[in-house]
Amino acid sequence: MAEVDPTEAAFIRTFAQPEEAERHLSLLRGRKHRSEFLEQLNHSFQTHGDRGRELGSEWKNPSSLLALAAELDFGETMHVIADGTPMDGQSLRIERAVETLVGNNWGTVLVAPSVRYALYKTQDPGPLFLLSERPVSDERLAAATARR
């Protein structure tokens, strides 16, 4: 059986509800079952505790998300977990990864290399979430808004 990508494994261990983590990891171990996990992303991903914060529709554009990434120091690349795109499973420069998230109609996760942050959107026209190890203050979001 194939191994789970280390960034994807860290994402699951950091952000998934603990009782769901092993199941998610087993689905990510190979292409055959990966599609089941990706299909699930289209509709929901239950986060652990207060690690998910819904962002308003004003964030669903590249300039806003890149400003947020700069404010929170996401890094230069993001790992993509996404249904409906050949970019699934790849690490991309942040600009390309954000374009993938915004342009993909299906469930998409972008994971920062540090795995302290991730962006998750459900199938369009669903919500967009900022996932973080620690809550992000309103002041940090306002600072990111000012960068746009």
Side-chain angles (χ1 to χ4, degrees), residues 9 19 21 36 42 50-51 59 61 64 69 89 115-116 119-120 131 134 138 141-142 148:
E19 60 274 10
E36 185 179 333
N42 288 330
D50 62 352
R51 295 185 181 184
W59 291 97
N61 64 75
S64 295
V115 194
R116 291 180 305 157
L119 295 168
Y120 165 57
L131 309 181
R134 295 188 181 112
D138 291 338
L141 289 179
R148 293 192 258 185

Side-chain angles (χ1 to χ4, degrees), residues 53-127:
R53 177 181 182 145
E54 187 171 346
L55 299 174
S57 60
E58 69 274 12
W59 291 97
K60 288 186 176 182
N61 64 75
S63 63
S64 295
L65 291 175
L66 290 171
L68 179 63
E71 177 63 29
L72 299 179
D73 194 24
F74 280 15
E76 294 182 11
T77 63
M78 299 286 282
H79 185 84
V80 179
I81 306 170
D83 197 13
T85 177
M87 302 304 163
D88 175 50
Q90 296 184 37
S91 289
L92 304 174
R93 290 208 41 83
I94 194 163
E95 298 84 2
R96 181 72 193 272
V98 165
E99 288 172 9
T100 298
L101 179 131
V102 171
N104 190 16
N105 294 325
W106 304 104
T108 305
V109 174
L110 302 182
V111 184
S114 66
V115 194
R116 291 180 305 157
Y117 299 105
L119 295 168
Y120 165 57
K121 78 169 192 73
T122 63
Q123 175 179 330
D124 286 343

